[in-house]
Amino acid sequence: MSFRKTLQLNNGKTIPQIGLGTWLSGPHEVENAVVWAVEAGYRHLDCAYVYGNQDEVGAALKRVVPSVVQREELFIHFETLERRASSLGTPYLDLYLIHWPIPFVPGRGLLPERADKPGHVEIDTETSLVDTWKAMLALRSTGKVRALGVSNFTVQHLEAIIKATGERPAVNQIEAHPLLPQDGLVEYCKREGIHLTAYSPLGNNLHGKTKLVDYPEVKEVADRLGATTAQVLVAWGVYRGYSVIPKSVQRDRIVSNFEQIALSKEDYEKISDIGKNNHVRFGTPMSFAPK
Ligand code: NAP
């Protein structure tokens, strides 16, 4: 069973420690994935407009709210507010994030391409991150968002928006796993009271490299504990005190990823050693299309 632990945010709200990721959960996959997850006990869902599957997530929510859970029991993040009501069918978001610290030119769709450089996104060089953060802060009075956060922000990005507004994000969602521990950023956020959510906790990679779930070090610990390698990687993130959002569209994995195990200090360190002098970042926008 999951420990069902919740963690405190700096706005007084709480966030369930284990959530379900929905990136790359394709059509006819994500609706069932969300339903199975909620049935298995997940109460924290990570969604994003750019994942293009919000209608199916919304359909899944209709299947489980209120028959399995009340809306208030769920913690939902999303990265587009305007469409949340029509697509997700929820009157408010628990967390609203700036997805990446890079603005694209407005009014030309999700991924506006550069006329002079096809295949590349056109960056908005007029709008600063501080402008965006101020616009986010102004949404608090609407009652449509319970908490505001950011994603893929570095220490420098965080320092800049905090210095300009005096307002800390409740959450920074970042790629974090044994191959990318981001110790400095984790330490900074802890010190500043900014909750961290780790994405790609299983070391999802689209680069054809060995998956973390297949690393012999992870397998050795998993076999010894009678656990799956994914459970070991989720537990590695939990050990570090933040929330973790593994994605799966397979029912057995959705269920088992949520069945928590605890790591000893020795096993935590053994898994951490994988990333010593071997850092790998999988989520690099320069490898997306358009770049
Ligand atoms: P992940 O959760 O680390 O890994 C997902 C991959 O692992 C999928 O291929 C999944 O396949 C597989 N998997 C799941 N459970 C498994 C198990 N028990 N054993 C073996 N393989 C397993 O990667 P992620 O999707 O990149 O990250 C998680 C979530 O974080 C995303 O879905 C998204 O919600 C969020 N995210 C946010 C950002 C951001 O910029 N803010 C960026 C990336 C991701 P199956 O589905 O076939 O099981």
Side-chain angles (χ1 to χ4, degrees), residues 220-221 224 236 239 263-273:
E220 185 275 313
V221 172
R224 187 159 34 76
W236 184 85
Y239 188 99
L263 287 188
S264 65
K265 185 168 181 290
E266 291 70 31
D267 284 339
Y268 168 76
E269 283 166 0
K270 196 168 286 178
I271 302 297
S272 301
D273 283 346

Side-chain angles (χ1 to χ4, degrees), residues 23 46 151-152 173 200 202 204 247-250 253 257:
W23 181 41
D46 180 59
S151 182
N152 297 298
Q173 187 186 120
S200 303
L202 310 181
N204 183 25
K247 170 262 174 183
S248 180
V249 291
Q250 301 186 39
R253 288 178 172 180
N257 291 350

Side-chain angles (χ1 to χ4, degrees), residues 1 10 76 82 89 99 130 208 210 228 230 233 246 285 289:
M1 268 303 283
N10 62 16
I76 303 176
E82 282 76 16
H99 201 151
V130 170
T210 305
T228 69
L233 293 166

Side-chain angles (χ1 to χ4, degrees), residues 20-25 29 45-48 51 77 79 97-100 150-152 173-175 177 197-206 211 213-214 228-231 245-250 252-254 256-257 283 288:
L20 179 77
T22 62
W23 181 41
L24 300 179
S25 299
E29 287 183 331
L45 304 171
D46 180 59
C47 315
Y51 301 163
H77 14 117
E79 286 84 354
L97 301 173
I98 301 177
H99 201 151
W100 281 89
V150 298
S151 182
N152 297 298
Q173 187 186 120
I174 59 163
E175 180 177 337
H177 44 70
T197 297
Y199 75 70
S200 303
L202 310 181
N204 183 25
N205 77 80
L206 308 170
K211 294 190 172 198
V213 284
D214 296 325
T228 69
T229 50
Q231 286 169 339
I245 48 171
K247 170 262 174 183
S248 180
V249 291
Q250 301 186 39
D252 57 338
R253 288 178 172 180
I254 290 169
S256 65
N257 291 350
F288 297 165

Side-chain angles (χ1 to χ4, degrees), residues 179-190:
L179 289 168
L180 192 69
Q182 307 231 48
D183 290 337
L185 185 52
V186 170
E187 190 48 46
Y188 172 85
C189 288
K190 193 185 266 183

